[in-house]
Amino acid sequence: MSEKIYAVPEAWRNEARVNAEKYDALYRRSVADPDGFWGEQAQRIEWIAPFTRVKEVSFDTHNVAIEWFGDGSTNIAMNCIDRHLPHRADQVAIIWEGDDPSLSRHITYRELHEQVCRFANVLKAHGVRKGDRVTIYLPMIPEAAYAMLACARIGAVHSVVFGGFSPDALAGRIEDAQSDVVITADEGVRGGRKSPLKDNVDAALEKVSAKTVIVVTRTGAKVDMKPGRDFRYEDEAKKVPEDCPYAEVGAEDPLFILYTSGSTGKPKGVLHTTGGYLVHAALTHELVFDYREGDVYWCTADVGWVTGHSYIVYGPLANGATTLMFEGVPNYPTVSRFWEVIDKHKVDIFYTAPTAIRALMGAGEEPVKKTSRKSIRLLGSVGEPINPEAWEWYHRVVGEGRCPIVDTWWQTETGGILIAPLPGATALKPGSATKPFFGVQPEIVDANGNVLEGACEGNLVIADSWPGQARTVFGDHERFVQTYFTAYPGKYFTGDGCRRDSDGYYWITGRVDDVINVSGHRLGTAEIESALVAHEKVAEAAVVGFPHAIKGQGIYAYVTLMGGVEASERLRKELVDFVRKEISAIASPDVIQFAPGLPKTRSGKIMRRILRKIAENEFGALGDTSTLADPSVVEDLIKNRPAG
Ligand code: 6R9
């Protein structure tokens, strides 16, 4: 671990909104008096009916119930748009940068208002009412933000599905959300390649049903349109009025569902509600990124992930910011693309993922150094632990040593950032997400649930609620309780391992459950295993993560074939493609090892600990193998481990 400390630069200290002293005092107050602290912070958004109650929370395993500002009402689209119109109608709300560097668009708050109203009216015309679920399967085009905000405007619940997911994965999410309406585009464009989004929707709707598909034009490709079910957005938009009043929405009414992988079963539909989520997203966006009036802010995530929800759309727009939405990828047309976009749009704040930094680091300094980047003031990181080497490179080469890096730890379930530096207050240690945000009470527990004090390492739990916390798993509250509130009763279990050093800094060590983090994308090993065993030639599969230089973790699959089936290079490729088709390209295994048997205990449980060690090439550290039903299986696995 890196021992280096970067003090808060003097200019930052002098101009800090929150300096070190203020952080300490305000943090203490925020946890001692959450009602007082959050009651005040909640005034940053506009309410329709004011709340009189702040925090009403039970983490009791028998009755998990989470409410914030429960009797207040508001509207998120009103907060992100209408509220700004009197003084920033002509300010740019969204800068859209296309995959093709010659394409960009500037959308003002006035235009955003028009577009969102139209979109909302189209949804209404197709029967969408408050509380209905709408699935959004779009590329990174402004319409993705319009569609999300249109749902929020009428009180409908969006479920954004990442455009990289396969028809099967999409079908599962449409079905689970019981969503009658799907919004998609003819095609997506990324890295110069087109992806057949509408065709994927058609394939998904052969398995599950939806009443209406609304198709936004991106490339103009010819796609099948099923009469009575499929509608062109552009045609529908012409038929509806241009204004749409916003609905009054309860603080605890749902805003969105977002599917995320866990250790077991299918992805869970994590449900977020309205008031607390917006307060948390907006406040963290302002303080962690030190967002200032007039800044151009760029988060490179996709709206298909929670980072896109909270820190491309809702947090920035609630703060009246100019948020950049990028359709492309870091290495197209060249590996200078990120830095060129920064120069083109004079980006002040840049937020990306360690996997992108590591990939670009591999291309050397020249592609960065030939750009100016002088507009950049602050850098951010999210999605997985950032290794100190990548941190140092990001700091020294990209930020030229003058930009603080905010390493932000949070999750789909937390709604917004929970552990991160405040750039004017917190000295930085490369690789550490540093200190808790206001109101957040992290604790480190051992396997028995004992709370550890001082410098220690264990599992990360959060002792009490924060406004942006997920409220439930859609349609399955029991699963919500099981997943997050039973391992350590009375506390929220994050699934992450963590070390705290003697300065009280938190260092996330990665997942402690059967979740792997590939390029910042969460995947359950169980999900990939069930995709593999769905193949007719596969008898059994076990999947583990292994360290990968660029992706952070790679996917290593042990596969036992059906009797009589020969292992071959061709079959290996076939299985990789099969997983890609069942889930997504991000889930395709990096390594497949064909194995005659898997190491199991006498009760038949696969010993993943051993499989992880073999995948990591650490044969010396296999630990106790005496409880295995057949220890010779392990020798075979070691002997036949593919090179690499
Ligand atoms: C926002 C997001 C959550 C998991 C989380 C952890 C890992 C995210 C991190 C980080 C170390 C950071 N993670 N940020 N680990 N340092 N700054 O990524 O949500 O997709 O739900 O993933 O990602 O393991 O538990 P999500």
Side-chain angles (χ1 to χ4, degrees):
M1 289 291 165
S2 168
E3 289 303 315
K4 240 171 153 175
I5 299 188
Y6 289 84
V8 176
E10 197 181 318
W12 278 82
R13 228 175 355 191
N14 295 339
E15 284 177 38
R17 258 198 198 102
V18 179
N19 61 19
E21 294 73 48
K22 191 161 170 206
Y23 167 78
D24 287 339
L26 212 49
Y27 179 77
R28 275 196 301 274
R29 157 142 201 258
S30 71
V31 296
D33 175 19
D35 278 37
F37 176 81
W38 287 113
E40 278 165 31
Q41 295 305 328
Q43 304 308 329
R44 66 179 299 120
I45 73 164
E46 197 166 305
W47 297 85
I48 297 173
F51 57 86
T52 63
R53 313 192 301 259
V54 178
K55 170 172 175 267
E56 293 165 290
V57 171
S58 161
F59 277 7
D60 176 349
T61 307
H62 303 290
N63 172 38
V64 173
I66 302 162
E67 286 195 13
W68 284 86
F69 318 115
D71 59 350
S73 68
T74 183
N75 182 285
I76 290 210
M78 173 268 278
N79 269 285
C80 290
I81 309 168
D82 306 51
R83 181 167 63 123
H84 304 314
L85 292 179
H87 50 289
R88 47 174 112 243
D90 295 318
Q91 185 202 308
V92 174
I94 299 176
I95 299 176
W96 178 74
E97 169 75 14
D99 186 59
D100 175 337
S102 68
L103 294 179
S104 52
R105 276 159 64 187
H106 289 74
I107 296 129
T108 63
Y109 274 94
R110 188 197 320 280
E111 288 168 287
L112 182 63
H113 179 258
E114 277 169 30
Q115 297 282 3
V116 169
C117 284
R118 285 235 183 250
F119 219 122
N121 281 330
V122 168
L123 294 177
K124 274 189 180 169
H126 283 276
V128 178
R129 299 284 172 265
K130 199 172 186 172
D132 291 350
R133 274 80 54 207
V134 173
T135 299
I136 299 176
Y137 184 66
L138 282 173
M140 283 289 286
I141 55 177
E143 285 78 2
Y146 305 160
M148 292 164 75
L149 288 159
C151 290
R153 195 164 188 89
I154 62 176
V157 183
H158 59 72
S159 162
V160 182
V161 178
F162 173 56
F165 277 121
S166 68
D168 280 1
L170 173 63
R173 286 158 172 79
I174 293 171
E175 184 173 46
D176 186 86
Q178 298 156 290
S179 163
D180 282 337
V181 175
V182 180
I183 302 170
T184 191
D186 46 9
E187 293 180 311
V189 187
R190 277 181 96 220
R193 281 203 297 266
K194 292 179 176 162
S195 58
L197 295 181
K198 173 62 167 64
D199 290 354
N200 289 350
V201 170
D202 291 343
L205 294 184
E206 276 167 23
K207 306 206 160 156
V208 298
S209 69
K211 288 200 190 90
T212 306
V213 179
I214 295 172
V215 186
V216 175
T217 303
R218 168 61 185 89
T219 64
K222 201 173 148 8
V223 292
D224 289 338
M225 296 293 283
K226 189 171 169 188
R229 188 195 72 181
D230 300 350
F231 300 87
R232 289 271 178 194
Y233 175 71
E234 295 75 16
D235 298 341
E236 299 308 289
K238 283 189 204 124
K239 300 182 198 156
V240 295
E242 68 174 22
D243 193 32
C244 171
Y246 51 80
E248 179 172 356
V249 176
E252 283 302 337
D253 285 344
L255 172 65
F256 67 85
I257 299 169
L258 189 56
Y259 286 85
T260 192
S261 299
S263 1
T264 54
K266 288 192 200 154
K268 294 181 282 285
V270 169
L271 184 109
H272 283 283
T273 58
T274 297
Y277 170 80
L278 192 66
V279 169
H280 187 197
L283 181 66
T284 48
H285 172 260
E286 178 173 294
L287 295 185
V288 176
F289 299 105
D290 190 51
Y291 165 74
R292 310 261 174 161
E293 189 67 40
D295 281 347
V296 175
Y297 161 89
W298 180 17
C299 164
T300 69
D302 190 286
V303 290
W305 311 113
V306 74
T307 307
H309 284 60
S310 302
Y311 298 111
I312 294 178
V313 179
Y314 292 120
L317 295 178
N319 290 336
T322 298
T323 182
L324 195 150
M325 208 173 161
F326 177 45
E327 185 181 33
V329 294
N331 58 357
Y332 177 84
T334 74
V335 288
S336 289
R337 185 71 191 275
F338 272 179
W339 329 121
E340 283 165 356
V341 173
I342 287 172
D343 286 352
K344 176 173 174 187
H345 298 294
K346 307 272 177 299
V347 172
D348 298 270
I349 302 166
F350 178 70
Y351 188 30
T352 195
T355 186
I357 299 165
R358 285 191 299 264
L360 295 171
M361 196 170 133
E365 298 184 11
E366 193 273 334
V368 190
K369 289 207 161 145
K370 70 180 209 204
T371 63
S372 153
R373 285 157 290 111
K374 74 171 191 300
S375 59
I376 283 288
R377 193 173 85 238
L378 182 83
L379 300 169
S381 172
V382 62
E384 54 176 314
I386 178 163
N387 47 312
E389 301 71 37
W391 194 104
E392 295 283 357
W393 187 84
Y394 196 28
H395 188 258
R396 179 176 57 81
V397 181
V398 178
E400 292 181 331
R402 61 187 168 77
C403 306
I405 297 178
V406 291
D407 176 359
T408 62
W409 176 86
W410 59 296
Q411 311 176 297
T412 305
E413 296 87 340
T414 71
I417 294 167
L418 292 198
I419 303 181
L422 298 185
T426 319
L428 305 174
K429 299 189 187 189
S432 169
T434 78
K435 303 252 198 147
F437 189 72
F438 300 123
V440 175
Q441 300 182 51
E443 285 180 354
I444 297 184
V445 293
D446 67 15
N448 302 317
N450 302 308
V451 177
L452 306 176
E453 302 293 338
C456 59
E457 184 165 343
N459 291 343
L460 181 65
V461 300
I462 313 290
D464 202 350
S465 186
W466 60 94
Q469 183 171 25
R471 304 304 196 247
T472 191
V473 167
F474 181 71
D476 198 349
H477 193 62
E478 190 44 39
R479 191 163 175 212
F480 183 67
V481 175
Q482 276 299 326
T483 311
Y484 306 108
F485 297 94
T486 49
Y488 302 102
K491 290 170 186 177
Y492 167 79
F493 176 44
T494 64
D496 278 333
C498 185
R499 179 170 78 81
R500 185 172 51 217
D501 69 18
S502 51
D503 295 326
Y505 277 50
Y506 291 83
W507 302 72
I508 307 297
T509 53
R511 301 290 304 196
V512 294
D513 52 9
D514 288 321
V515 169
I516 44 189
N517 191 326
V518 182
S519 301
H521 303 315
R522 266 167 78 169
L523 293 161
T525 52
E527 248 178 290
I528 307 170
E529 286 161 6
S530 65
L532 282 166
V533 297
H535 191 282
E536 55 180 18
K537 291 177 185 158
V538 174
E540 197 169 29
V543 168
V544 297
F546 72 102
H548 187 288
I550 301 221
K551 301 182 188 179
Q553 279 190 298
I555 300 172
Y556 196 116
Y558 297 87
V559 169
T560 305
L561 296 171
M562 291 288 189
V565 178
E566 281 283 320
S568 68
E569 185 50 31
R570 200 158 124 219
L571 180 55
R572 202 193 60 78
K573 265 202 86 233
E574 191 178 316
L575 293 180
V576 170
D577 288 344
F578 190 73
V579 175
R580 185 186 293 259
K581 196 185 123 291
E582 291 275 308
I583 309 174
S584 157
I586 54 184
S588 36
D590 298 276
V591 182
I592 290 186
Q593 175 167 4
F594 292 113
L598 297 174
K600 291 185 187 168
T601 61
R602 287 184 198 106
S603 62
K605 229 173 164 308
I606 295 177
M607 290 188 76
R608 291 170 183 283
R609 177 175 56 80
I610 293 176
L611 294 177
R612 271 188 218 111
K613 290 291 175 200
I614 296 172
E616 287 164 12
N617 250 328
E618 288 195 27
F619 308 138
L622 291 183
D624 184 11
T625 54
S626 63
T627 54
L628 282 176
D630 177 6
S632 72
V633 166
V634 175
E635 283 154 42
D636 176 86
L637 289 176
I638 294 174
K639 202 169 78 211
N640 295 309
R641 189 196 183 285

